[in-house]
Amino acid sequence: MRVLVTGGAGFIGSHIVSVLEAAGHEPVVLDTAAGEGGFRGDVRDAETVGRALDGVDAVCHQAAMVGLGKGFEDASAYVANNDLGTAVLLEQMAAAGVDKLALAGSMVVYGEGRYSCRVHGVVRPGPRSVPDLDNFRFEPPCPLCGAALDSELVGEDAPVDPRNVYATTKLAQEHLAASWARATGGRVISLRYHNVYGDGMPRDTPYAGVASFFRSSLERGLSPRVFEDGAQRRDFIHVDDVARANLVALDALADRPEGELRAYNTGSGVPHTVGEMAHELAEAFGGPKPVVTGEYRLGDVRHITASSERFHRELGWRARVGFADGMARFANDQLAPGAGTAEMATR
């Protein structure tokens, strides 16, 4: 199978290219940093995308501006890179008759995830307020009674509730892909990535994920700075598992119903706190211990961990790299220079 990988020179994309080659497929790279044999260009450039699609059987769309970023002043850049770029790609796929798409989705579309109140059952807390965050009240309360909530795993059928610009653009990508599928008879699998880490992560960029922040600090001999109280829960998944997930999704597309988008949570299945990750990584690196700062980023969610059982049940995929092993590997991995807007960091 000949597969166009947008963002194929980036962090996740380059690992996908490697697993495709190992499986006997023919990856074609489209990236602003593509090397010899690939297509150097922007996914928003219709002419370049059209040329890159020549003879292609499927597309693995990784090119994106990722992470929470620096503030709302990045909004137009996120929309231009993620949503306009996806629209151009889908237009060119329709023109070329390419009907299979594996999309890099994100767990951020769920917002604050799933919570239950011991009195009111499953509830959806509102955005956390600045006064609460300034006073170190990080846990979202029950919107009905103000009581403490229990965080639970999110399934793919949960309501979506994007809480920042990046999350909004990732949901829009899915909507665009679903519209394309209905209009053309295409098939789409969206892999809603959790917090991806591993070798080749970009260093020292405001758009990188928390694992990259911590690893970059340790390289400079500094303590990782843990925001809030460190108890916020995430699901950290190694990039090797994410690359293999894309291979599974691409192989499964031929059997998907026409005109349909199917989403799969793509995580390790074992949540950890950000504080636990910082301590595990610092210990494996042999660097200074993390410092809990109480700082926060407005737009961050408190807990987001989702169940990946649908992916295992329907397509047989499951993460293989355990947390301790993955962090031990990451402590010795090489980081890439800080990247631009194409496939920059974790999702």
Side-chain angles (χ1 to χ4, degrees):
M1 180 165 53
R2 184 175 169 89
V3 181
L4 176 63
V5 184
T6 69
F11 167 43
I12 297 173
S14 60
H15 286 81
I16 293 171
V17 167
S18 295
V19 299
L20 286 170
E21 290 175 336
H25 297 299
E26 181 186 357
V28 178
V29 172
L30 171 60
D31 197 293
T32 55
E36 185 177 351
F39 289 85
R40 184 183 292 269
D42 194 306
V43 74
R44 293 169 291 182
D45 181 351
E47 183 178 350
T48 302
V49 173
R51 292 200 309 271
L53 284 166
D54 185 39
V56 160
D57 302 298
V59 174
C60 186
H61 185 31
Q62 305 296 312
M65 183 173 178
V66 303
L68 183 55
K70 297 177 288 186
F72 198 79
E73 62 266 26
D74 292 324
S76 60
Y78 276 107
V79 172
N81 280 280
N82 298 354
D83 299 339
L84 176 59
T86 299
V88 171
L89 173 66
L90 294 170
E91 284 179 350
Q92 295 303 308
M93 288 176 66
V98 179
D99 65 350
K100 292 183 282 294
L101 173 66
L103 175 67
S106 176
M107 51 76 186
V108 295
V109 300
Y110 299 118
E112 270 292 350
R114 178 184 170 94
Y115 289 85
S116 65
C117 171
R118 297 180 186 182
V119 175
H120 297 100
V122 175
V123 294
R124 297 178 68 186
R128 297 184 295 169
S129 70
V130 170
D132 279 347
L133 294 169
D134 283 343
N135 286 283
F136 309 105
R137 294 191 292 268
F138 301 121
E139 294 288 345
C142 175
L144 300 176
C145 67
L149 297 174
D150 294 318
S151 174
E152 300 176 348
L153 297 181
V154 181
E156 289 87 347
D157 296 327
V160 290
D161 186 18
R163 301 244 170 143
N164 55 57
V165 173
Y166 169 61
T168 301
T169 65
K170 294 307 293 182
L171 181 57
Q173 283 185 311
E174 287 195 357
H175 289 325
L176 286 165
S179 296
W180 165 83
R182 287 191 295 270
T184 66
R187 302 170 173 90
V188 188
I189 287 177
S190 179
L191 301 179
R192 291 176 175 170
Y193 299 160
H194 287 251
N195 291 73
V196 188
Y197 71 96
D199 57 295
M201 283 192 83
R203 70 173 79 241
D204 299 325
T205 164
Y207 302 93
V210 66
S212 176
F213 292 162
F214 292 166
R215 180 69 167 71
S216 297
S217 294
L218 289 166
E219 277 199 359
R220 296 194 298 270
L222 303 175
S223 294
R225 294 176 61 81
V226 180
F227 279 16
E228 302 187 18
D229 58 0
Q232 55 271 46
R233 284 188 291 279
R234 299 291 188 269
D235 186 326
F236 300 99
I237 180 168
H238 196 274
V239 67
D240 286 355
D241 284 324
V242 169
R244 188 169 50 83
N246 277 271
L247 178 62
V248 170
L250 286 163
D251 287 342
L253 280 168
D255 297 324
R256 296 301 311 165
E258 293 184 1
E260 179 181 290
L261 181 147
R262 186 70 165 166
Y264 292 100
N265 293 332
T266 307
S268 73
V270 183
H272 290 275
T273 68
V274 172
E276 287 172 345
M277 190 271 281
H279 281 282
E280 190 81 23
L281 185 59
E283 184 173 338
F285 189 86
K289 293 182 179 180
V291 174
V292 178
T293 69
E295 298 172 85
Y296 63 86
R297 295 193 304 177
L298 194 63
D300 266 343
V301 296
R302 178 61 173 174
H303 305 300
I304 176 62
T305 57
S307 170
S308 299
E309 280 305 305
R310 174 191 282 184
F311 203 169
H312 176 66
R313 185 176 66 252
E314 295 187 4
L315 300 185
W317 176 89
R318 181 165 280 169
R320 295 174 180 170
V321 181
F323 181 71
D325 179 51
M327 289 297 156
R329 288 168 56 182
F330 187 49
N332 295 292
D333 284 334
Q334 293 293 314
L335 298 183
T341 57
E343 221 285 291
M344 292 186 300
T346 85
R347 287 181 161 75

